[in-house]
Amino acid sequence: MMSRGSLGLRGRLRRSGILLPFAVLFIVLSVASGSFFSKVNLLDILDQQASTLIIAAAGTLVLVAGGIDLSVGATYALAGVSAAHLALTMPPLVAIGAGVAVGLVVGLVNGVIATFFRINSLSATLAMSFVISGLASLVPSGNLVIDYSRPAFGDLARWSFLTVNTSTWTMLVVVAILAVVLSRTTAGRYMYAAGSNAEAARLAGVRVQRVRLLTFVLSGGAAALGGVIDASRVLSAQASNGQTALTFTVLAGGSFTPPPAHETKPTLGCRP
């Protein structure tokens, strides 16, 4: 029979397990490459992975609540090409807002199908990803959208504050907010309850369907925001972008067993 101390140690290792490979990889890369552990390189990594972290953090909420969103990659691409296409003829803020709105709508549709129509979220979001991918190809007629003539559109990701790009600041703010929501708010507790035992949560008064719907909307909005940020960062977008976005959430360390997922896992789960 295991002692209480052994169980506590195992629990701590389980919660912080992803820290170990992350620390080892970081140390190895720092030793192997003299330029890796430099401010410029680390900021560049954060800049490139900002959208990944945003998508993974929001995707963790879906996993915690007992669902999964396989459409994040397609949503990322659709929002990116939509915002980039609109930025050619409209003010940047309008294009950015429209791109994020696209993701919120997709998330809402996913949530309604998966909760109120009681269709398995894996099947529903997988099917939705094919629909969204087709729409993403139609927006630019299959072509690459180039916004080099609209540099103002790049301010969302390229503007710098304290030598750190706004894409990184946006990621830090979004991840911090979602971490607080999950760990410190009633909504976060409801997400854990919905994912752990939906029937018990329902009997306790938790509106499980609405909670899960909220997580899908947040996931769709985050995927769209990531797509818009990357389109802004490189001033271009194409429908084939985001094909690997599904791994954002899986590598996040959001586990398919809802607790004890945490928002630090998405952050550390992304490659350096």
Side-chain angles (χ1 to χ4, degrees):
M1 185 174 181
M2 299 185 66
S3 65
R4 184 174 300 178
S6 298
L7 291 174
L9 177 61
R10 288 186 61 183
R12 287 192 295 271
L13 288 174
R14 181 183 178 186
R15 288 192 296 270
S16 61
I18 197 170
L19 288 171
L20 299 179
F22 177 82
V24 170
L25 180 59
F26 190 88
I27 293 172
V28 169
L29 291 175
S30 298
V31 173
S33 174
S35 61
F36 177 80
F37 191 64
S38 64
K39 179 181 177 180
V40 173
N41 186 60
L42 294 179
L43 288 178
D44 185 53
I45 291 172
L46 286 175
D47 183 43
Q48 293 180 24
Q49 299 301 317
S51 61
T52 302
L53 295 169
I54 291 172
I55 296 172
T60 299
L61 302 183
V62 180
L63 292 171
V64 166
I68 185 171
D69 188 355
L70 301 185
S71 67
V72 289
T75 304
Y76 167 96
L78 177 60
V81 296
S82 297
H85 185 72
L86 290 174
L88 293 173
T89 57
M90 304 182 70
L93 288 179
V94 174
I96 292 169
V100 175
V102 166
L104 293 174
V105 171
V106 171
L108 179 62
V109 173
N110 281 334
V112 169
I113 293 174
T115 57
F116 292 97
F117 288 96
R118 300 184 182 278
I119 297 177
N120 183 277
S121 61
L122 188 149
S123 301
T125 57
L126 179 61
M128 181 62 70
S129 69
F130 293 116
V131 175
I132 300 170
S133 295
L135 292 175
S137 298
L138 289 175
V139 171
S141 300
N143 299 318
L144 174 68
V145 182
I146 300 176
D147 288 307
Y148 293 158
S149 61
R150 306 285 291 180
F153 178 61
D155 289 344
L156 172 65
R158 293 182 168 188
W159 190 73
S160 181
F161 177 67
L162 298 177
T163 72
V164 179
N165 287 344
T166 45
S167 58
T168 301
W169 285 117
T170 303
M171 176 270 294
L172 292 174
V173 170
V174 171
V175 171
I177 291 174
L178 293 179
V180 171
V181 168
L182 187 59
S183 62
R184 302 294 181 184
T185 68
T186 302
R189 301 298 179 189
Y190 285 173
M191 291 175 192
Y192 277 118
S196 298
N197 191 323
E199 183 60 22
R202 185 186 66 80
L203 293 175
V206 177
R207 296 181 176 180
V208 175
Q209 292 182 334
R210 293 189 180 184
V211 170
R212 288 179 173 171
L213 176 62
L214 174 63
T215 63
F216 278 106
V217 172
L218 292 175
S219 178
L225 178 60
V228 173
I229 286 176
D230 277 355
S232 171
R233 181 169 59 86
V234 298
L235 287 177
S236 64
Q238 57 183 350
S240 60
N241 288 346
Q243 291 180 345
T244 61
L246 171 59
T247 61
F248 296 173
T249 304
V250 177
L251 290 179
S255 148
F256 285 94
T257 303
H262 193 277
E263 291 299 332
T264 57
K265 291 185 177 182
T267 305
L268 296 178
C270 301
R271 61 179 177 84

